[in-house]
Amino acid sequence: MRKLFLLFFFPLFGTAKQPVPQIIPEPVELKKLSGSLILNSTTPIVFVSDDSTFKSVLEAFTSSFSEQTGLAATIGRIAVDDTSQASPILVAERKNGLAEEGYEMEITPVLFRIRASKPAGLFYALQSLKQLLPLKRSDYFEIPCLYIKDYPRFSYRGMHLDVSRNFFPVDFIKRYLDLLAFYKINTFHWHLTDSNGWRLESKKFPRLTSVGAWRADRTGIPFVLSQPSGEQEPATYGGFYTQEQVRELISYAKDRFISIIPEIEMPGHCTAALAAYPQYTCLNNPVPLRIPTGYPGDLKHNFCPGNDSTFLFLQEILDEVIELFPSPYIHIGGDEVRPVSWLNCPRCQKRMKENKLSTPGELQAYFTERIDNYISSKNRKLIGWDEIMEAGISPNAAVMSWRGKEGGIAAAKAAHEVVMAPYRYVYFDFYQSAPELEPDISYAGLSIDSVYKFEPVPAGLNTREKAFVLGGQACLWTENIQTTDRVEYMLLPRMLALSEALWTTATQKNYRHFVDKLDMHFAQLRAKSVNYSRSIFNVFIQPNYDSATGKVIVSIYDQTAGKYTIRFSVNGNGDNPASVYTKPFAVSSSSEIKAGLYSGDSLLGKITVAQVSIHQAFASNNNFTHPSVGRLVDGVHGSIEPYDGKWVYWSDSIRSFQLDLGAVKKIRGIRFRCLEDQVGNALLPEKIDIEISKKDEKFISVYSATEKEPRSAMRKIHGYQINTSRKKARYIRFKFKTSSYRHPDYNGKNSVFIDELIVD
């Protein structure tokens, strides 16, 4: 019998000693054994396998090992009884009974021994081993002796990337896959098509890429402002992946035990495809069919389910997709379908009448069912966002729950396979710390500690239903991400938290231990020139009014579970807070609080700043009709984030309320701030009236203004300052009229956002 050996010969470098093991994701079982395995420049290392199916995995490890350490490596076949080879030896053995992706690894002073039942298990063992190797080249390595038994909690561990909104080259997709594999993510959800660009070559329909892959260049213009491509405007931004490149990437992913799930959006999010083949859109749509370069103009066109040719077109596209991708799942999107084009289309209305469909939702269900049946006929499974649960999907179909846990619960109870991707925990396009500290903000915040708390199995499922939860994934939408550096910044280190949420058993998870491991992983990422985020080192300042004491209580918290020291200052000079934060504290006067996270005297992140305003109306005892309005005099200011809990907002057409200062006081002025965010329909008040009175009888006007048009296209905080000429008053009456402006693209219900009414 002959076995496979890998021979490593160590040249002379510096010296290095491996610290305490810091593997991410945390293994199921890790025991420290006495001693270390010492490798030096004179030691040839022999890698042995008793299974030929392990060969390609070991060969790939040879290459990555050499790249990481600079150590020369060769591979050859040597008889098992050949005594001429020196120890230590890495032995890769097949052991039946282990999980398909599981492994055992033992490191003794003379031996690496890895046992796995499948090549995937060996691959993941070697990813763990790579994390144990020193980062710097050395002629002397010391690796601690360990025993590891490991296997994943979930079979589906996914990471998504949107390449439609912004396009990324093949070499970067490979780099992305490398990062996924290193942290044991086994599924790449590739969002290939959307309204903003079609990225997959089609041999049958070449206009999908000659037209649909290109749009007007709006580089540097925010997605919320970027207007659709003009009719005669050059379409110079975009790109697509050829079928040859796709096959190359599928093979590249397969070598890393990653399955690629393609997403072909339908029946909405499809303007790029319809711009190329307009015969498959609805009739009587007054909106010009132009490829959006941002949000404006998106979600105005759908595939026409009243046209049988639409289904033939999509089936031929799916034939190409299925021929290219071996994945058992084909993702069709199915989310955020706006029904306006269907309501105005005579073909769709005829289809609804013939099939006794009473609502656009039922028409979408009809569409989804036809596509589902076709995919099933090809021995593949349809998967889509949780809106497809409203359709008549087959038992074969799987559901990706993004709007929360409810869609996943409903799907599991209906015996559908489920992948959990709730946006509040795993949407990596959300910013990572206090919004004012981030290079760009979108939608909401998502800190790394929140990602770590992600639990894919929602409460309320019984044992049978839990079995339908395959696992979870994070999503990286790229509306606001135009460069590969920015992709990496948004991806990491949050993907490391995701990897433990999906691989590590619940009992083994420990956030503080995870944080302790990050220093070593940050060093590894730096060694690979990865542009990871350091937002974990930014702190949050949380002021809250305490009715018991009548003061504002300030809490400060960080994302490192107390590993480092928080320092703060109140109305201090300079940017180096000196006081060590140990517990919440009270402020009784207007204050500027600064805080940062420190290791010794070194600031690790950025300085966070918060304002507290104590003024004449602060904590006044007012009987507001709407209790939340009382927060308008709690001394606390809102951030640029609309839903940070500090803004008071309403969508009533008119909102009036009155402040009682408790006594007649001399008023120098009145100040407040409003948040404007057209995407979220947060608009400045159309009309503001402010009146004052000494006796709650005769009120006099001190301010009246009308503003019918938005001021800012981007999210912005606007300040209002009213000079009352030191008039005396006890009562202040406010009347705000909500804007009646209708944005052509963001046509939800308008709201007014105000954070604090300051009476000077």
Side-chain angles (χ1 to χ4, degrees):
M1 178 182 178
R2 301 176 71 84
K3 294 193 177 184
L4 178 68
F5 289 71
L6 291 181
L7 307 180
F8 289 82
F9 300 96
F10 289 75
L12 185 65
F13 294 103
T15 62
K17 184 174 181 178
Q18 172 67 20
V20 175
Q22 300 180 32
I23 297 172
I24 293 178
E26 183 69 18
V28 172
E29 183 180 352
L30 188 155
K31 294 179 181 178
K32 298 177 185 178
L33 306 176
S34 60
S36 298
L37 174 61
I38 298 173
L39 310 176
N40 58 54
S41 58
T42 62
T43 308
I45 300 180
V46 184
F47 281 25
V48 186
S49 173
D50 64 356
D51 193 307
S52 60
T53 64
F54 290 172
K55 178 180 179 181
S56 62
V57 178
L58 291 172
E59 287 175 334
F61 178 68
T62 305
S63 175
S64 63
F65 182 95
S66 296
E67 183 179 348
Q68 179 174 342
T69 64
L71 305 177
T74 59
I75 183 171
R77 288 186 174 276
I78 302 173
V80 70
D81 57 355
D82 187 344
T83 60
S84 65
Q85 299 302 320
S87 295
I89 300 174
L90 187 152
V91 181
E93 300 177 334
R94 176 180 291 277
K95 180 179 179 180
N96 295 327
L98 294 178
E100 182 171 338
E101 297 179 298
Y103 65 91
E104 294 176 352
M105 181 163 62
E106 185 178 6
I107 303 174
T108 73
V110 296
L111 179 70
F112 297 95
R113 185 183 298 277
I114 298 173
R115 301 181 181 92
S117 66
K118 301 286 184 179
L122 173 60
F123 178 81
Y124 291 128
L126 294 174
Q127 303 316 298
S128 295
L129 179 55
K130 283 197 286 187
Q131 294 185 20
L132 297 173
L133 297 174
L135 291 175
K136 296 182 179 179
R137 298 178 176 187
S138 173
D139 66 341
Y140 180 90
F141 289 174
E142 215 176 302
I143 299 176
C145 292
L146 303 169
Y147 170 77
I148 298 174
K149 182 175 183 179
D150 205 8
Y151 51 85
R153 182 184 175 198
F154 294 103
S155 62
Y156 186 111
R157 304 179 303 282
M159 191 65 228
H160 157 288
L161 181 64
D162 166 18
V163 297
S164 173
R165 275 55 177 263
N166 281 292
F167 178 73
F168 305 102
V170 169
D171 285 348
F172 179 73
I173 302 300
K174 290 181 178 179
R175 180 176 170 91
Y176 197 82
L177 292 169
D178 286 339
L179 290 167
L180 269 58
F182 191 62
Y183 291 106
K184 302 183 176 74
I185 301 296
N186 68 354
T187 305
F188 174 42
H189 175 177
W190 202 5
H191 189 80
L192 285 163
T193 74
D194 212 295
S195 291
N196 306 98
W198 183 283
R199 306 298 179 205
L200 177 64
E201 180 190 23
S202 169
K203 302 293 188 183
K204 296 179 181 178
F205 303 103
R207 285 176 58 84
L208 286 173
T209 50
S210 66
V211 175
W214 303 94
R215 64 182 190 241
D217 192 346
R218 300 282 193 267
T219 302
I221 299 175
F223 217 72
V224 296
L225 303 181
S226 192
Q227 295 299 312
S229 301
E231 190 171 358
Q232 302 299 323
E233 190 175 9
T236 57
Y237 176 84
F240 63 93
Y241 306 99
T242 67
Q243 291 195 6
E244 182 180 354
Q245 288 172 326
V246 169
R247 291 189 180 95
E248 178 187 352
L249 286 168
I250 290 171
S251 176
Y252 192 88
K254 182 181 178 182
D255 289 344
R256 288 149 183 79
F257 296 89
I258 295 174
S259 173
I260 299 181
I261 296 178
E263 181 175 359
I264 309 298
E265 276 273 12
M266 60 183 81
H269 284 281
C270 58
T271 309
L274 294 173
Y277 293 94
Q279 60 267 44
Y280 303 116
T281 192
C282 290
L283 302 175
N284 297 345
N285 191 334
V287 180
L289 191 52
R290 297 173 186 169
I291 296 180
T293 66
Y295 291 134
D298 193 9
L299 304 179
K300 304 294 186 182
H301 298 271
N302 302 322
F303 284 118
C304 179
N307 182 359
D308 282 327
S309 296
T310 299
F311 293 98
L312 296 176
F313 172 67
L314 292 172
Q315 287 169 9
E316 289 193 75
I317 290 173
L318 288 169
D319 285 343
E320 288 191 273
V321 172
I322 289 169
E323 188 276 328
L324 275 173
F325 290 89
S327 165
Y329 300 100
I330 305 297
H331 205 301
I332 67 156
D335 60 312
E336 298 178 329
V337 178
R338 304 292 187 262
V340 176
S341 65
W342 291 347
L343 294 173
N344 295 327
C345 175
R347 292 186 303 210
C348 289
Q349 292 305 303
K350 181 181 178 183
R351 178 77 74 191
M352 291 177 69
K353 184 176 181 180
E354 290 175 347
N355 289 271
K356 298 180 180 179
L357 308 174
S358 58
T359 67
E362 291 179 1
L363 181 60
Q364 183 176 351
Y366 167 87
F367 178 99
T368 304
E369 185 176 10
R370 285 189 64 165
I371 297 298
D372 183 16
N373 289 338
Y374 188 77
I375 291 174
S376 295
S377 74
K378 301 295 182 178
N379 295 317
R380 302 295 181 91
K381 297 179 181 181
L382 178 148
I383 186 170
W385 303 109
D386 54 51
E387 286 94 330
I388 69 167
M389 273 300 293
E390 300 159 15
I393 54 176
S394 70
N396 195 42
V399 174
M400 192 167 279
S401 185
W402 74 276
R403 292 179 293 181
K405 63 182 181 180
E406 293 76 17
I409 292 172
K413 287 184 176 294
H416 290 288
E417 292 180 332
V418 178
V419 174
M420 296 299 295
Y423 70 92
R424 291 186 183 275
Y425 290 95
V426 291
Y427 265 35
F428 285 3
D429 50 321
F430 290 6
Y431 56 87
Q432 302 178 64
S433 66
E436 61 271 17
L437 302 182
E438 293 296 328
D440 187 22
I441 57 171
S442 63
Y443 310 116
L446 178 62
S447 57
I448 189 172
D449 50 344
S450 294
V451 177
Y452 197 84
K453 294 173 185 174
F454 174 41
E455 171 49 58
V457 180
L461 298 179
N462 61 33
T463 301
R464 182 189 70 85
E465 294 161 349
K466 288 178 181 178
F468 289 104
V469 180
L470 303 178
Q473 77 169 35
C475 297
L476 188 46
W477 302 102
T478 61
E479 291 96 330
N480 301 296
I481 302 172
Q482 296 184 344
T483 66
T484 56
D485 273 359
R486 189 63 192 280
V487 171
E488 292 176 355
Y489 178 89
M490 302 303 283
L491 179 71
L492 299 161
R494 290 185 292 187
M495 191 182 73
L496 280 64
L498 175 75
S499 73
E500 289 215 352
L502 298 177
W503 178 282
T504 305
T505 58
T507 55
Q508 291 298 112
K509 287 179 64 179
N510 181 307
Y511 183 67
R512 173 54 192 270
H513 179 51
F514 170 78
V515 170
D516 288 339
K517 295 186 289 186
L518 286 179
D519 284 344
M520 186 273 285
H521 287 268
F522 287 162
Q524 288 189 326
L525 294 172
R526 287 194 298 272
K528 298 174 183 177
S529 299
V530 175
N531 185 45
Y532 67 93
S533 168
R534 291 180 57 84
S535 296
I536 187 174
F537 300 120
N538 297 337
V539 303
F540 296 90
I541 301 175
Q542 188 76 29
N544 285 294
Y545 173 68
D546 179 29
S547 59
T549 62
K551 296 181 180 180
V552 173
I553 307 299
V554 179
S555 300
I556 308 175
Y557 60 98
D558 70 316
Q559 302 179 57
T560 68
K563 179 176 181 179
Y564 299 103
T565 301
I566 298 174
R567 294 185 185 178
F568 74 100
S569 66
V570 179
N571 295 326
N573 295 322
D575 293 325
N576 292 302
S579 300
V580 174
Y581 176 81
T582 57
K583 62 182 179 180
F585 58 91
V587 294
S588 54
S589 61
S590 294
S591 303
E592 180 182 72
I593 301 105
K594 296 180 180 179
L597 195 65
Y598 287 79
S599 177
D601 292 328
S602 298
L603 176 65
L604 298 174
K606 299 177 181 179
I607 295 293
T608 306
V609 181
Q611 304 288 338
V612 172
S613 294
I614 309 299
H615 50 92
Q616 293 199 89
F618 171 72
S620 53
N621 185 18
N622 294 281
N623 295 318
F624 292 113
T625 305
H626 301 273
S628 67
V629 178
R631 290 192 284 115
L632 288 172
V633 289
D634 65 358
V636 179
H637 293 268
S639 70
I640 195 67
E641 162 57 49
Y643 302 103
D644 62 2
K646 304 298 185 292
W647 293 94
V648 175
Y649 57 93
W650 60 83
S651 55
D652 306 352
S653 58
I654 294 177
R655 177 67 68 90
S656 299
F657 44 86
Q658 183 171 300
L659 293 181
D660 180 357
L661 304 183
V664 175
K665 298 180 180 180
K666 188 180 291 185
I667 301 173
R668 298 194 310 273
I670 298 168
R671 293 179 287 135
F672 57 90
R673 304 187 310 164
C674 291
L675 178 71
E676 184 175 28
D677 179 20
Q678 292 192 48
V679 177
N681 296 105
L683 300 181
L684 301 179
E686 183 172 303
K687 195 170 191 304
I688 302 172
D689 290 294
I690 304 175
E691 300 173 326
I692 62 175
S693 171
K694 294 180 180 179
K695 297 184 178 181
D696 195 15
E697 295 174 350
K698 185 178 180 180
F699 282 81
I700 61 171
S701 175
V702 293
Y703 182 77
S704 183
T706 300
E707 192 162 10
K708 293 191 175 182
E709 297 291 325
R711 286 194 209 173
S712 175
M714 295 295 293
R715 187 186 297 179
K716 187 175 181 179
I717 297 173
H718 299 275
Y720 295 79
Q721 188 162 345
I722 295 93
N723 184 355
T724 56
S725 303
R726 304 181 72 86
K727 289 183 174 66
K728 292 183 178 181
R730 173 176 175 175
Y731 301 97
I732 306 174
R733 183 177 291 170
F734 296 85
K735 184 177 181 180
F736 295 94
K737 181 180 180 182
T738 302
S739 177
S740 57
Y741 173 80
R742 307 308 300 171
H743 195 284
D745 293 291
Y746 314 123
N747 51 8
K749 198 171 184 179
N750 292 337
S751 299
V752 172
F753 281 68
I754 301 178
D755 62 348
E756 182 77 3
L757 296 174
I758 301 172
V759 180
D760 294 320

